[in-house]
Amino acid sequence: MLSCEDLTTNLQGCVVTEDQALEHVNQTLRLFSEKLSESSRSSVKRCKERCLEEALQLLRRISEDQLGVLEESHILLLVRLLISMQLKMVNISKACRKVDQMLQHLAKVDHQLVFRETHHCLLSIVHNEQVLSFEDMQKACMFLEDSTFGRDIWRESFLVLLNKVSEFFSFALQQDSLRDGPLCYIAVKMCLQVFQLLSSEVAPLVWDGEHGDPTVRKILQALMDIILGQCCNRDTRLLAGTAVAMLINTASERRCGEAAAWSLLQVSHSEPWLLTVGALQVQCCPAGSDGVDRLAVSRGLLTCCRPHILLSSHVDFTEMCLLQKELFPLVYALCEEKLDCHYFAFEALTLWLKRVKECLADIWKMTGARLLPDNSKLQQELIHIIWTNAESPVEGVSDFVRSAFCLLLDLYEMDCQQYGDTKKTLYSTLLQRIIKLPWESKAKYHRLCALLPFLGTDMVLDQYAEIPNHLLKCLSTNHLSPCGSELYKCLIQQQRRELCDGSAKSTPHIELDLANQWARRWRPVLHEALMSHVTLLQNHSSTQLLPFTFQAFPSAVDPLLDSLDPCDPGHLHAWACIVSSYRATTGSSPWALQGSSTFKTLQLALGSAEDKVRLAALNALCCSPKTKDTPTAEEMSIMKIFIPQNLNCESSPFRQHFQAAVKRFLIRIRDGCLAHIKEQKGKKKGQDIHSKGEQDILEQGIEFVDWLGQLPYCYLAPGHSFQRKKTALLLLCAVLETCTDTWSPDKKKGQPPANMGSLIKCARARGRWDFVCRRKQLVLISGLEDSTNEIRELSAELLLRFFPPSLPHDIAAVLHARTKQLLCSPRVHEAQMAAVMMKLLHQKSQHQPEACRLNSEVSGGACMVTLLVKELEEHYLTAKADMMLAAKTKPIHGVLSALQRCLLEAPGSVYDTLDHSLTVEVLLLLENMSLLLLGVLYGDQDACAIEKDAPPSLYEMGNAISSLIAQESGGGQEEGEECVLISEETSLVLTCCWVSLKDIGIFLGSLVAKILTESKPSKCLLTKEDLKRASRVFKNILLKCRHWGAVEGCCAGFTKFCASLLSSSDPELRDIPAHMLKQGLQVVRSPRSTSVTRRAAGLPMLILCVVSAEEAGKSRPLLALSMQTLLETAKCPLPADLDQTLDLPQVCAVHTLQALVRGSALGEAVLHFAPAVVILSLTLLRSPCWAMRNAALQLYSSLCSRMLGQRPSNDEGVSAQHGLSPLTFFFHYPALQPFLLGELRGAARDLQGPQTEAKLHLQPSLFPVLTLLAQLQPGVQDSTKTLSDFLPPLLQLSASPIYSVRVMASKALVAMTPPSEYMNILLRLSAELPQERCCHNRLHGQLLQIRATLERALCPASAPPADLCEVVRRVEASMWLVTGAQRCPLVRAAYIAVADSLRSLLSETFLSTLSDTLQSDLLTPQQQLQVGLSSFHQQAIHSLCADQKRACQIWENFSAASPDLRLSLVTWVVDEQGLQQSGSKEVILRVLQSNLKEALLSSRVEYRRIYLTALVAVMAGGDSTQHLPHSATPEEPVLPECLDLLLGDLEDMRGGPEFLSLALFVSSLLLSQCSDSSTRMSVSQRWCNILESHRSPAAPEVLRIACAEALCVAGVPLMSHSTPPAIMIRLIHTGVYLLQDQNQQVRMKAASFTSMLHHARTAASQRSVYLMQVNQALPLLLDLLLEECWDTPGTLEVLLCHLPQSNLRSVLKEASEAGSSTLYEQDEANVFAEPSVMSAHVLPYLLLMVERSSESPAVAQSLSAWAEGGAAQLLDSLAVCKEFQPAETLTRSWLALLTDPRFHCALSGLLTRAAFLLRLVKTCEDLRHLCDPAALHMSLQEVCSVLSVNGVHFPSAVTAAVAGEQPI
């Protein structure tokens, strides 16, 4: 048969006819063939399916009669074309079905023709002497499943097909490579399809006659051999089980099928057995005991068999059916066993429950009894298996367990209803069991959701009162949030059902009543969540709880909003979230909810300082469930203000959400406009009376999109911050994706509507939406040279996706020249720029006209690749001749990156670009380059080719490069001269080597993977020898280079390389990575004589890459081989003559194991070996070799992290425990339980004996074991008491002489103790508290364990257990432990901690005595130094200060306290993070202020720092942005002295940045409280000087933050008083500087200063300050500057100093000079500063000063002076602009300027000053001698016009000023 392409060509040539009557048919067929051709060419599945769907619709337009007119040859061509396409798309089921529908349509004309052609095609598959190939079986399966005609033909020829399958099995099962590969799998799949789809034809061969059909018997034998383990592929075995079950299902007689099923269940036998299926009998010999055979059979029977088979009973067990008697024990055993197929075992359990539910009525009839009576064995077994596996770490198991639990509850409910059981005790039993689970248990919430419908919300919430609290905790923790929100959803949905009581009617009044019912229980919970300080809780409540709430109770929005105060920041965020969620969920407009105040609140939210508030408000503005809900004019105007103010946000998530919201807004505009256009087209002429409003909506929508399409280009020029450029590109992408008709084949959603062209046409008719003009193209091209990868990639993506497919010739030529220049740059980022440009040129050149191509000798894509290969060879030859010259002028990595992008990121096939010779040339080049570069690092090319024990060390690499530099420079190194810093030449060579090696690895791996993926049986660009050569390249890089960057990069390519080979059907190719693995393992095992510090960094990674490349869903023989070899090597005994300075194979094996454990690509596969690795690592901690101990500890740590999973996280700190309970942990790793218990018992045994005997017997594994146990999730009940053996040794370890062991033993005890044992543990420990002196270690450990258990056992919301009273009594009786009789401070501190835990239960007498004792102890001078005394002081102070009276007493004696006690007191203040008691707070503040001078004069630096921190905590409460509480002012004589000391330290820079920042903050606090005006003014000058010295970008970050905080603390009071304008100007100037700081915290604090100023000046009645966004704060500060100080000297200078220099001539001179040859560029001090944006901000205020200059002679004089001094230079720069006006075609010099940030900054400064001068000379006639206003205006407009056309865009403020308008 001809190819699709040939058939399409023939069809297009023959359907044209002269008959005019058939012209419509001809036209449709042309379009039809074009769609088929497009589908054939496309490599994207969705595109194929879309084209075929369109083709199908076109064919259906041609009626049967019209098709009948066509000649038979034409129909034949159509049929053959369609069948050919089916054969080409056998792996795309949906596409094949669409083609089948086309064939069915053609069959209406000529059924025999279609049948005959399909028959011919199928017979060519089976009538072949060769064994079926993979492609043949794919075709056969496709015709069975997706072809109506194919199925009919197979029904006639099924015997031939079965014979071919039988032949295949006979051949394939004898070869390992075939039976474990995809061929065997697809053969089994074909059997399953035959048995299912051709069951009536197959049945006689199985069930009739005495012996059955021999062919089917052979197939059955092969399937059973596969099931029983002859095949290692698990998926194939499972599918074979389904196929056999499907064969049984073909039985026409019930008894035959039932007998066959019972016979199949002999699979659990370990001895050979005989399977009988109808007339077929096969011998079954089990090959292993991995459980997959039992799983395959049980899963197959449950999936396929009819109910009567599952309900059949055996002759010996008539009272129970197969489902109960055989299948359940089989499935239960699979779930209980620790197998590699846990996921499928629990899938089978779920299937069993589903089938039981289907057959339950029949089971009742059969047994005559309940299925699940209370406490029955079946019920207990099901609950046990569900309970113990609910938290399984195996992916997917917990989901099946959840489904099983729901099915169990359904079955129990049906059981109870059938037999009239109204008590249903199981539900309440389960509820109590669930309540006892800790809140951290994820299964707790899933089970509650399942149980809720059976108990009702009232019962659940009444018995489990902690649900709201636990829900909030869940939402504060990432991994628990989904299950917590799901429980809330179930609760409120169930609540609504109960409230409605089945009524479906709903009215507004009823809805409001329902919402009020909901609000009584849930409104406080949601408000607490939305206003929480925990970010996760806020996010999850707004994205999960609120939508669920409005879905169930839409009217809940009213009670939620009623009690909110928008002026409070927390309330404002809650308001925005509620409104946003309400609109997105219900689709109702929220603007009428609270009347006219809604838009005011929205404006506040959109201008908030917090990103989350602005985003929530933006979502409320943009979202709507109806995409045709066109935004109102007010919404569009708000967006026009909001978007420019949020372009430079630093948060990446904000940018992504910002783009998504704007895109939703644009979609609403687009779909609304399209709807209006459609309505207008549908109206008749007389119906357009009321179309004015519609026209306005259409006009507004088009204008908004046009405005947004223009806006980003103003901010893409170099010189703008990365944040602004990234946001601008994202917004531009949103506009182009939404409002153009460009199809994106890689996207499932978001494609343009079919009628998009009508809207584009409408917009173009209005002169709008010119999205892809030349000047915009130039802006994006300049973005290709951005220093950041993200901007380059986004710019290139937009140019490729949305701009014309070919570049203008002048742009292409200049870009090509620039690319060649950058390809030779040694700077990595410049080489990456060139690679992106080359990719762009490569893809655009394929659409370039022949005459315009840069090289027309070769076709577009191949031309570029050939040129790059030649360029790469040239660079290689240069490096071979002179490495130093190559590193400077022709490095390899740039061309490599370009070649990689052109070959691998092009949309077409690599086979269209490469041929075999070019591929081999590239491969040889890569091999030679890698050897050359490795030789440079070795220092000897010959040595590099020799296998060595280890690669050169980093020191030797440095020496080799230094020798190379000295040799090529013709000089030698001076002896004795050693430079610490790496020289520029060394950096050049080293960077060239490691980056090139990294790129070689990445490129080679990706290239091989792409070639093999796209290869065809008849054509492959790489031979086996080529692939072996490629493997040698990887091996050399990984084993001969120690640079981690090169190794890591190479690993990415090597993994792709191995994965592509291992997935190949060719066994010889699969053997290449396996051979490399064996070589690597041999290197590990081989003894070496190298240093222990010089192991090859890449050896473990080589092994990791190979095993990671194995297919995840299948068995991993290479991983098993690696783990076994490494474990055996690590266990080998060490040599007797151990030299600890040499590398050992055992140590290398342990480090390699660590690499495998840490490898994320292996996932859960490595956990199957976890017990063996844990035991090994803990055993090796006893090794005499330090390197072995070190490696073992690292391995253990990595493995524990992998076994325990990700630690739960929340904003309040990282939890100490993981989400895995002890029961679950040991269920999955049962081998660890006896081993870990043995380690604990051994350590505890060493502690036994007389108390006088020394017990410091070190056990290296003890602390790691305790650490592992302590990280398990506590609070899980142990009904089987399997973990009770751990408690005795853990209790005994309290006596350990090692402090850290005692601490960790207390944590492990809590984790391993079930809640039911808490009281017993406390009673036992408290009973052992001594009444006289005893062993301090044991006593300290016991107290630690008591406290840890108390913290877990005590629940604040419930009454204490009765047994706790006895514990309290015993603790009170042991009070001597805190007195002087107990000499150990650590014991005393531990006792105080226990007492603090029980404080609410202790008697007043005891507490008073305890406080007296502690107070006396603290105030008594210590005679000698004691270990742990500081800890005792801290604990005692914490205990005393819990009582306000005691706190005041201890602080009143601060002056008389010892230095150590003072330090402890101020440390306590710092640690408290805010004091609760206002009385003690005032005392502490007074004490700290009165002792401030003494503290500042102290010689103890640490004391001074902590003292100032404590003073700040008390005075400011940790928040400088809120109103400060009125605090006592220090005595007047003390205040100036303290201020002088603090300011002196700041002026002389005494102390580090942290101390100076505290000093600045405290001095600002004191200055704000200074009441004497003369002192305040004199100090203010010094204070302003300090702020100005520390606000610069070069100052330490902590000092810049302190400057901003100082403005908030003292700047606002100073501005509020009658402060001289000079001080106000300085403060505002500092604020403006800090608002542009690169640190976000500094900017936020400076914005807080502005917010507080605004609040104070507007005399707002609200107590809280509204904190505004930074971009709103800047114009407000400038407004204040002109409002208060516009006529003050210095104001003009403040504004002008923020403009960049405008001397364009000097900038052009610098740009024309040769660039620097250094490898790295110096970053700007402030990368966030944007001179161009600042110029646009300042310009309106400069113009405003000109307008008001007539009111102040001083201002007029200063303006005149500026004009006189700067006009000449400005006019000169404008003249320069005219001189270099760009030509009509793009030149290299102009492109260089477009990419130069200095040019754009100077241009913005020039135009701003020129517009300022223009307004000045127009206003003031005295200055017109400087220049003619009209001429200046014309020059400005001319310059702006020319620059705009050639890729320079200006902000609206500049364009308005140039046009003579007043900027907004």
Side-chain angles (χ1 to χ4, degrees), residues 643 646-647 649 651-663 666 708 712-713 715-716 722-738 747 780 790-791 793-795 797-798 801-802:
I643 290 174
N646 288 269
L647 291 176
C649 183
S651 165
S652 179
F654 179 91
R655 291 194 291 270
Q656 299 299 328
H657 288 295
F658 186 21
Q659 181 199 25
V662 171
K663 193 169 182 181
L666 289 171
L708 188 55
Y713 292 101
Y715 302 111
L716 291 177
F722 162 78
Q723 292 83 358
R724 191 178 297 273
K725 287 189 281 190
K726 179 68 183 292
T727 311
L729 284 170
L730 290 175
L731 293 182
L732 181 59
C733 184
V735 172
L736 296 176
E737 283 181 346
T738 310
K747 291 192 174 185
L780 290 176
E790 290 183 64
I791 303 301
E793 295 289 349
L794 263 175
S795 300
E797 181 187 355
L798 294 178
R801 285 178 61 190
F802 300 107

Side-chain angles (χ1 to χ4, degrees), residues 1329-1344:
L1329 290 177
Q1331 300 303 317
E1332 57 185 12
R1333 298 180 62 181
C1334 65
C1335 172
H1336 285 167
N1337 290 333
R1338 181 180 297 278
L1339 180 54
H1340 180 249
Q1342 288 173 337
L1343 289 169
L1344 289 176

